[in-house]
């Protein structure tokens, strides 16, 4: 499962993969990730599932590109 989290405090987004979204969100909000600790609290703004891990990884790379960020703002974060 791919997910997009948004910081409620800062204008930051986090793209990740997980098999347990609720557990991952709790971990980020508990400060267990060095990268996301300073931007907590986080909320889920989008998630999606993929048939293959490779497809999920490719989609994450796309979301991190300039055109992927535009796509995310226009299509995923309505």
């Amino acid at each position: 499962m791919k997910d997009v989290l948004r910081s409620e405090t800062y204008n930051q987004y986090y793209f990740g993969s997980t098999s347990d979204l609720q557990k991952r969100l709790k971990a980020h909000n508990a400060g267990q990730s060095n990268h996301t600790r300073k931007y907590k609290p986080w909320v889920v703004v989008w998630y999606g599932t993929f048939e293959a891990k490779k497809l999920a990884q490719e989609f994450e790379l796309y979301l991190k590109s300039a055109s992927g960020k535009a796509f995310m703002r226009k299509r995923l974060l309505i």
Side-chain angles (χ1 to χ4, degrees), residues 8-19:
E8 290 189 311
T9 311
Y10 300 91
N11 186 28
Q12 292 287 323
Y13 288 92
Y14 178 80
F15 310 95
S17 299
T18 185
S19 60

Side-chain angles (χ1 to χ4, degrees), residues 5-71:
L5 305 179
R6 180 183 51 81
S7 169
E8 290 189 311
T9 311
Y10 300 91
N11 186 28
Q12 292 287 323
Y13 288 92
Y14 178 80
F15 310 95
S17 299
T18 185
S19 60
D20 188 338
L21 184 57
Q22 292 303 319
K23 182 179 176 182
R24 182 181 186 85
L25 183 62
K26 285 180 185 179
H28 282 296
N29 284 330
Q32 295 176 358
S33 170
N34 290 333
H35 178 72
T36 61
R37 180 180 301 143
K38 59 188 168 194
Y39 302 111
K40 63 183 186 172
W42 293 91
V43 295
V44 176
V45 292
W46 179 86
Y47 69 92
T49 59
F50 293 81
E51 291 183 14
K53 186 175 182 177
K54 184 177 185 212
L55 292 173
Q57 292 169 332
E58 290 171 354
F59 189 67
E60 181 176 348
L61 286 176
Y62 170 68
L63 288 179
K64 291 179 179 181
S65 71
S67 61
K69 288 177 183 176
F71 171 81

